[in-house]
């Protein structure tokens, strides 16, 4: 988007004038009011505003120094530093909601957040997507008032167990209508989508209302699809309650439902205006679900941010992960995804790096009837397979054992059980829908951060790599 308001472009380009907010009324309460400015922005109720215009931002590249902005002490400074100096739309803003809590007195959960704004993406409301990562955000009605000004219609879409568990979200939202859907893959069906539309119709839900999807990836996928299609696009806020949701599923706008012919065959790319990743909800997550999310985090380490792998290495064995470490893992992984989405929102190029480990992983899930391995476990095994291919074809000899090391570090399976047969996996890999029209594609990682989109390995290589993977658990004495 280009600035349409006179003065915007000019102020951004005037040497010495680094405060684009001078030209924006201070009474602005929400990003929606900034749409006429034609700039992707977010504003909070204290008048602290973050703004991004990629083209104008780049014009600042040579004029700003990191220190200038840091000294200003403004909240949007980090946001602009991220935008302008790195020539990347990845943006970070930090805020403290516990400042609000202190004024409010005891009884409110406190929290702080780090905000990563996805700025290249669009939805019909012209909003950038903010990813807020924090702890204790959800019960805070002050935090919500920034997202949902008084009077905005809201519908909360979630499952009954999650509603029971997180009633405080409903309270903080002022008791909106709740649409209950089944959890897991059962909810991702056109039949359920229809029933949700019928509820929305019954409550005369306007397209300017906000659909809040709260749950794991299955519910946020469903909520995204409903919001994208309800009256051709309602507003959407996602509250991922699983680790997988927080680092992967809720970010980037992909949504969808399943058909009997396969998973995620129907869907759109439609950005939420806010993703709220509150670590406080993860405490109740079953350990196996949590580990599944760690597999996606390790994947982000390999495809984008090798520092994640060092963090995985520093994890305590056996005990719980401390909040600081978890925050770092979530924020770094989210940034990897945000950056790839911003480069390639519609998934024709670098975004596909996120499929690392998924070609074999999805085949393993299908071959074992989606029962033996969960998604993260299967993706972990898929990364091991891909690492083995990289070792065989490209001489990346240390990669397979290194991958196995990280998987073992977080308690993920380090190999396949003997029941999984190569022939079956090979044919299932041929059906990978993510291969697109250009034929079967394979994401290869030659070392942390070095990723290539290639074609599938030939059969002999695949068989040898599979043998390595199938040997893993037996060597570890698992079967
Ligand atoms: N859109 C995307 O980019 C994307 C990316 C990855 C995965 N996905 C989709 O996400 C889905 C998988 O998501 P998932 O792994 O989050 O699993 P899920 O949504 O199926 O949830 C797993 C289970 O965890 C429970 N649960 C959720 N939050 C909980 C909490 N805080 N405490 C206790 N229990 C909780 C749920 O009730 C459910 O039973 C798949 O459908 C997949 O296709 C989408
Ligand atoms: Zn995945």
């Amino acid at each position: 988007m280009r600035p349409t308001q006179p003065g915007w472009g000019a102020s951004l380009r005037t040497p010495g004038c680094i405060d684009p907010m001078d030209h924006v009324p201070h009474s602005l309460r929400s990003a929606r009011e900034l749409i006429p400015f034609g700039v992707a922005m977010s504003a909070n109720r204290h008048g602290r505003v973050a703004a991004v215009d990629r083209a104008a931002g780049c014009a600042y590249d040579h004029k700003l120094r990191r220190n200038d902005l840091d000294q200003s002490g403004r909240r949007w400074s980090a946001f602009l530093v991220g935008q302008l100096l790195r020539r990347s739309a990845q943006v970070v803003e930090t805020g403290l909601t516990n400042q609000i809590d202190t004024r409010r007195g005891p009884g409110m959960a406190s929290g702080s957040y780090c905000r990563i704004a996805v700025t290249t993406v669009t939805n019909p409301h012209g909003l950038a997507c903010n990813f807020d990562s924090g702890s204790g955000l959800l019960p805070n009605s002050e935090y919500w008032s920034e997202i949902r000004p008084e009077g905005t219609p809201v519908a909360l879409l979630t499952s009954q167990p999650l509603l029971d568990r997180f009633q405080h979200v409903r309270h903080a939202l002022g008791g909106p209508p709740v649409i209950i859907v089944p959890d897991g893959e059962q909810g991702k069906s056109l039949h359920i989508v229809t029933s949700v539309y019928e509820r929305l119709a019954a409550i005369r839900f306007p397209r300017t209302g906000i659909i809040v999807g709260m749950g794991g990836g299955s519910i946020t996928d469903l909520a995204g699809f409903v919001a994208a299609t309800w009256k051709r696009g309602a507003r959407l806020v996602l509250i991922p309650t699983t680790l997988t949701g927080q680092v992967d599923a809720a970010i980037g706008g992909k949504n969808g439902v399943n058909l009997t012919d396969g998973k995620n065959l129907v869907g759109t790319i439609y950005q939420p205006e806010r993703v709220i990743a509150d670590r406080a909800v993860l405490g109740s997550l079953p350990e196996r679900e949590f580990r599944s999310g760690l597999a996606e985090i390790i994947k982000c380490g390999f495809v984008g941010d090798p520092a994640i792998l060092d963090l995985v290495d520093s994890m305590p064995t056996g005990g719980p992960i401390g909040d600081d470490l978890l925050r770092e893992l979530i924020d770094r992984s989210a940034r990897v995804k945000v950056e790839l989405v911003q480069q390639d929102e519609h998934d024709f190029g670098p975004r596909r790096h996120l499929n690392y480990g998924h070609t074999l992983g999805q085949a393993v899930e299908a071959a074992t009837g989606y029962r033996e391995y969960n998604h993260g476990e299967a993706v972990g095994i898929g990364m091991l397979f891909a690492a083995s291919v990289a070792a065989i074809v490209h001489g990346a000899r240390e990669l397979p054992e290194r991958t196995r090391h990280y998987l073992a570090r977080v308690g993920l399976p380090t190999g396949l059980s003997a029941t999984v047969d190569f022939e079956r996996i090979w044919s299932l890999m041929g059906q990978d829908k993510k291969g697109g029209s250009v034929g079967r594609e394979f994401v290869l990682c030659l070392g942390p951060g070095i990723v290539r989109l290639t074609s599938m390995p030939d059969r002999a290589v695949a068989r040898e790599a599979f043998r390595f993977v199938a040997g893993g658990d037996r060597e570890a004495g698992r079967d």
Side-chain angles (χ1 to χ4, degrees):
M1 280 186 289
R2 301 287 307 126
T4 53
Q5 181 81 0
W8 254 92
S11 76
L12 279 167
R13 288 185 173 84
T14 306
C17 173
I18 60 167
D19 191 349
M21 291 310 112
D22 288 349
H23 300 269
V24 177
H26 285 294
S27 58
L28 287 168
R29 286 178 57 90
S30 82
R32 301 197 68 221
E33 294 172 62
L34 296 166
I35 296 170
F37 292 88
V39 179
M41 308 184 75
S42 76
N44 70 17
R45 58 192 296 282
H46 306 292
R48 296 190 187 97
V49 187
V52 171
D53 175 281
R54 283 166 73 79
C58 287
Y60 259 110
D61 198 17
H62 58 284
K63 291 180 193 134
L64 294 182
R65 288 197 317 266
R66 188 174 289 267
N67 281 345
D68 293 342
L69 290 176
D70 285 350
Q71 280 161 15
S72 80
R74 302 214 183 181
R75 187 175 286 195
W76 53 267
S77 66
F79 191 101
L80 283 174
V81 169
Q83 170 67 10
L84 306 181
L85 298 189
R86 272 185 271 156
R87 284 186 179 273
S88 131
Q90 181 206 314
V91 167
V92 179
E93 181 191 56
T94 55
L96 283 173
T97 53
N98 51 11
Q99 289 170 352
I100 294 165
D101 300 338
T102 322
R103 274 193 286 116
R104 275 296 177 109
M108 282 186 74
S110 66
S112 60
Y113 65 83
C114 157
R115 176 168 296 169
I116 304 170
V118 185
T119 58
T120 62
V121 295
T122 52
N123 64 29
H125 302 278
L127 296 164
C129 169
N130 285 325
F131 175 88
D132 286 356
S133 158
S135 186
L137 296 175
L138 290 172
N140 190 328
S141 43
E142 291 282 350
Y143 170 75
W144 278 108
S145 68
E146 179 197 327
I147 299 168
R148 183 223 173 173
E150 194 81 15
T152 311
V154 171
L156 177 61
L157 190 144
T158 190
S159 69
Q160 189 64 54
L162 292 175
L163 181 67
D164 294 345
R165 207 180 287 279
F166 305 123
Q167 275 289 351
H168 55 268
V169 174
R170 189 180 189 193
H171 291 144
L173 276 167
V178 180
I179 302 178
I180 295 293
V181 292
D183 232 325
E185 296 304 314
Q186 275 183 318
K188 285 178 56 170
S189 79
L190 289 171
H191 166 70
I192 297 296
V193 168
T194 305
S195 71
V196 176
Y197 291 152
E198 283 165 0
R199 271 300 305 284
L200 292 171
I203 59 175
R204 297 178 187 280
F205 195 75
R207 74 189 290 250
T208 50
I210 303 176
I211 293 176
V212 178
M214 177 171 75
S218 55
I219 287 180
T220 54
D221 271 13
L222 172 68
F225 185 68
V226 167
T229 48
W230 177 252
K231 298 194 173 177
R232 302 188 178 88
R235 297 174 62 188
L236 172 66
V237 169
L238 296 178
I239 304 174
T241 61
T242 59
L243 187 57
T244 303
Q246 296 197 353
V247 299
D248 190 359
I251 305 172
K254 279 194 196 174
N255 58 53
V257 295
N258 306 328
L259 300 181
T260 42
D261 283 335
K263 280 189 62 176
N264 298 324
L265 288 180
V266 179
T268 74
I269 292 181
Y270 182 82
Q271 299 301 333
E273 63 188 60
R274 180 97 48 153
V275 176
I276 306 166
D278 189 333
R279 294 186 299 285
V281 301
L282 300 178
S284 54
L285 203 58
E287 207 180 314
R288 198 167 166 206
E289 293 292 343
F290 188 81
R291 278 204 297 263
S292 183
L294 286 171
E296 301 286 0
I297 286 175
I298 292 174
K299 176 195 77 181
C300 290
F302 277 113
V303 303
D305 181 0
I308 290 173
L309 300 173
D310 297 333
L311 290 170
V312 168
D313 237 352
S314 74
M315 277 170 52
T317 33
I321 304 179
D323 189 60
D324 279 348
L325 180 56
L326 184 58
R327 176 179 50 75
E328 186 92 11
L329 289 168
I330 292 173
D331 294 357
R332 282 183 176 274
S333 304
R335 268 175 229 166
V336 168
K337 180 150 188 187
V338 161
E339 276 188 348
L340 289 168
V341 170
Q342 281 169 165
Q343 287 172 48
D344 173 30
E345 183 183 4
H346 289 275
D347 204 18
F348 294 112
R351 184 171 181 168
R352 299 167 85 93
H353 295 180
L354 294 164
N355 293 340
Y356 183 55
H358 282 61
T359 309
L360 182 106
Q362 285 165 346
V364 165
E365 282 183 279
T368 53
Y370 296 93
R371 278 186 299 271
E372 198 169 335
Y373 297 97
N374 69 23
H375 180 71
E377 290 167 349
V379 167
I381 293 165
M383 288 191 283
L384 203 54
F385 173 79
S388 179
V389 171
I392 297 164
V393 181
H394 298 276
R397 277 187 300 179
E398 288 172 8
L399 200 58
E401 281 311 332
R402 195 165 171 197
T403 306
R404 190 167 264 169
H405 166 77
Y406 295 124
L407 297 177
R409 198 81 187 73
V410 302
L412 283 162
T414 56
L416 266 176
S417 69
T419 50
V420 185
D421 165 59
F422 174 73
E423 295 305 331
R424 173 114 177 90
I425 291 287
W426 184 241
S427 81
L428 281 165
M429 285 202 287
Q431 291 165 17
D432 180 11
K433 78 176 169 65
K434 290 189 175 172
S437 59
V438 292
R440 289 182 295 169
E441 184 181 74
F442 192 74
V443 186
L444 203 61
C445 172
L446 304 179
I450 312 166
V451 190
R452 306 269 183 275
L453 288 179
T454 62
S455 51
M456 281 289 286
D458 67 36
R459 192 187 155 85
V461 170
R463 185 175 254 296
E464 193 182 335
F466 185 83
R467 213 173 285 134
F468 171 78
V469 171
D473 271 4
R474 273 187 290 282
E475 277 164 23
R478 286 175 57 107
D479 60 10

